[in-house]
Amino acid sequence: MPLLGNKVYNVNDVISLPRSNFSDCITYIVNELDAIKDSLITAPLANPNDNYRITKGTALALRARVLLYAASPLFNGGNINAANPLTGYASYDVNRWTLAANAARMW
């Protein structure tokens, strides 16, 4: 997916961005979740209209899941095309499993 970052585009803007590589996407998602986790509520609210708001636990669970997928054999060295950085990591790194395990312990 192309990463837009914090740039805001208008409806009439022509957007032609290349796809970001797999590593950049994982890093971006994890960094965004890290940036917002402390500003989120810690428990669902009593007001039924606010029941669908994201909680800190949800953000941390998503972060752990993203890191788990990144560490899995499908993407961590088991890339369907090792020469293509868009579909996974080219080489295996055991530290990705450590990051995933630590993220799962955070909450």
Side-chain angles (χ1 to χ4, degrees), residues 44-99:
L45 301 174
N47 183 352
N49 293 329
D50 289 331
N51 280 346
Y52 302 104
R53 289 178 57 191
I54 188 171
T55 63
K56 181 176 181 177
T58 304
L60 293 175
L62 178 59
R63 181 181 183 277
R65 179 64 59 101
V66 166
L67 289 171
L68 180 63
Y69 280 131
S72 74
L74 181 61
F75 300 109
N76 190 8
N79 187 357
I80 58 173
N81 180 0
N84 186 352
L86 301 177
T87 58
Y89 297 107
S91 61
Y92 177 80
D93 185 357
V94 72
N95 292 325
R96 292 186 186 111
W97 286 109
T98 304
L99 289 173

